Amino acid sequence: NKFVGDALQDLDAVITQDATEDGFPSDGAMHARFMKSVFLLAILEYEEALEQLTFCQQVNFPANPAIGNHVQALILGCLGRYQEAIDCCDRVLAVENSVESWVLRGKCNAMLENTEAAFTDFRKGLTIKPDDGELMVRIGELYFGVGYPQEAIASFRVARKLGGSNTMHLGMLMALVHLTLGDLQDCAELLHSAVEQNPCFTPATFLRDAVL
């Protein structure tokens, strides 16, 4: 992406040129380095993103460490270093009750198969933002993953009412649960609706034809 490439070049220019009189990086240079770590995270360059962020944190930048810890948790989660990501979330949550950190913590616990902890994290996120449909989708996915299809369907229905996830994705999830339960008619109806919304959505088309 040319935009990202140009932005990274601009940030590198600030990082290399902007320094205080005693030779230490200026606030502008540190801000540029922090922004570079965020850009690198966005383009999936996780190792380099972590390297840039670590440099910032060693000189106590950003001034609000919770911001740095949240970005670090995102990067570590993408690297599959889930326990370390949870530790970063804990540092954020020690100073602010952040729904984003509860959700990220829940995702990491789910990846580590700490199911009860993941449920707890997602539910704590819901206490902050009870109308968060995306969180209800996460809870439904967790229920489905541990073998509770009825609870998964209930969560997905709430998510649909709240507008959680895109309709097609949510319909596909609900169809898969109905298929697991042997409810082929409900499964086929949901898949048919998904295909009507996007005829190019191959997974839904394939599964609908298989069910029918």
Side-chain angles (χ1 to χ4, degrees):
N1 185 302
K2 187 176 186 304
F3 168 75
V4 173
D6 290 345
L8 287 172
Q9 283 187 346
D10 291 342
L11 291 170
D12 281 336
V14 176
I15 291 168
T16 55
Q17 295 174 13
D18 199 5
T20 60
E21 289 183 1
D22 54 9
F24 288 99
S26 67
D27 285 344
M30 294 311 303
H31 182 74
R33 193 180 289 273
F34 180 74
M35 289 306 300
K36 182 178 180 180
S37 73
V38 174
F39 265 100
L40 289 165
L41 169 61
I43 62 172
L44 316 184
E45 295 288 347
Y46 304 129
E47 293 287 0
E48 191 177 351
L50 185 60
E51 181 181 324
Q52 296 294 327
L53 180 63
T54 301
F55 184 96
C56 294
Q57 291 173 313
Q58 286 172 344
V59 293
N60 298 317
F61 190 94
N64 179 356
I67 297 172
N69 280 319
H70 185 68
V71 175
Q72 187 179 13
L74 287 169
I75 297 170
L76 289 168
C78 291
L79 287 168
R81 294 161 61 176
Y82 301 119
Q83 186 56 57
E84 291 173 80
I86 289 170
D87 294 342
C88 288
C89 290
D90 288 344
R91 289 195 287 273
V92 176
L93 292 165
V95 294
E96 59 183 58
N97 201 20
S98 159
V99 64
E100 292 82 9
S101 291
W102 282 121
V103 171
L104 182 55
R105 195 180 194 282
K107 290 178 184 177
C108 291
N109 269 315
M111 293 303 295
L112 291 171
E113 299 184 358
N114 298 332
T115 306
E116 286 304 318
F119 274 126
T120 299
D121 293 337
F122 290 145
R123 286 169 181 151
K124 285 185 176 179
L126 278 174
T127 64
I128 305 169
K129 198 175 179 183
D131 59 348
D132 192 329
E134 190 62 42
L135 253 177
M136 287 306 303
V137 173
R138 293 287 177 188
I139 290 172
E141 288 175 331
L142 199 55
Y143 271 127
F144 187 37
V146 295
Y148 291 93
Q150 296 289 0
E151 290 82 355
I153 282 290
S155 299
F156 290 147
R157 285 174 179 155
V158 173
R160 187 163 57 179
K161 289 179 182 177
L162 294 172
S165 189
N166 68 68
T167 308
M168 201 163 48
H169 173 68
L170 190 50
M172 187 71 175
L173 287 171
M174 294 179 73
L176 288 171
V177 181
H178 279 298
L179 182 62
T180 302
L181 291 167
D183 300 332
L184 298 185
Q185 183 175 347
D186 289 336
C187 175
E189 287 175 1
L190 286 160
L191 292 168
H192 183 69
S193 176
V195 173
E196 278 190 331
Q197 291 174 60
N198 183 357
C200 298
F201 189 33
T202 307
T205 305
F206 177 80
L207 190 55
R208 181 201 59 181
D209 293 345
V211 169
L212 294 174

